[in-house]
């Protein structure tokens, strides 16, 4: 949880750092923080890879936010990103 809160304050997260923070948030059942981090990265024009999408989708799944998870999955596919055995 502390990693999630620290990530919210750090304005210069790399994609991998953001992904790691979202994974931590998912494990802590803090889907809302993971979603906030994801949207912040996107709004700042930072590249989003399949790892970023997978982490936030899993966080939403853990929080039973199925509609949000499906919307994010569709967004990833629209960007040409497809989950595979390693990311799904």
């Amino acid at each position: 949880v502390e990693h999630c809160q620290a990530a919210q304050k750090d304005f210069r997260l790399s994609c991998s750092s953001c992904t790691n923070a979202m994974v931590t948030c998912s494990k802590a059942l803090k889907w809302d923080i993971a979603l906030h981090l994801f949207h912040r990265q996107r709004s700042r024009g930072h590249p989003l890879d399949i790892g970023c999408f997978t982490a936030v989708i899993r966080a939403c799944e853990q929080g039973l936010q199925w509609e949000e998870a499906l919307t994010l999955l569709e967004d990833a596919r629209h960007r040409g990103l497809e989950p595979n055995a390693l990311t799904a």
Side-chain angles (χ1 to χ4, degrees):
V1 175
E2 292 164 4
H3 189 76
C4 296
Q5 292 168 342
Q8 281 185 293
K9 296 176 186 175
D10 183 4
F11 295 111
R12 293 184 180 177
L13 286 178
S14 68
C15 188
S16 62
S17 294
C18 187
T19 299
N20 290 337
M22 288 187 289
V23 167
T24 300
C25 292
S26 177
K27 291 177 181 178
L29 301 177
K30 299 290 186 182
W31 66 270
D32 53 333
I33 297 173
L35 191 60
H36 170 78
L37 292 172
F38 177 84
H39 286 304
R40 190 183 75 194
Q41 289 292 94
R42 182 185 353 210
S43 71
R44 294 188 175 163
H46 296 294
L48 300 170
D49 62 13
I50 193 60
C52 292
F53 275 94
T54 300
V56 73
I57 289 168
R58 285 186 178 163
C60 289
E61 289 173 346
Q62 290 291 326
L64 303 178
Q65 303 299 310
W66 301 109
E67 287 182 36
E68 189 67 44
L70 290 172
T71 298
L72 289 162
L73 180 60
E74 185 61 33
D75 186 14
R77 287 184 173 153
H78 179 72
R79 294 170 183 257
L81 301 172
E82 284 288 333
N84 57 41
L86 296 175
T87 61

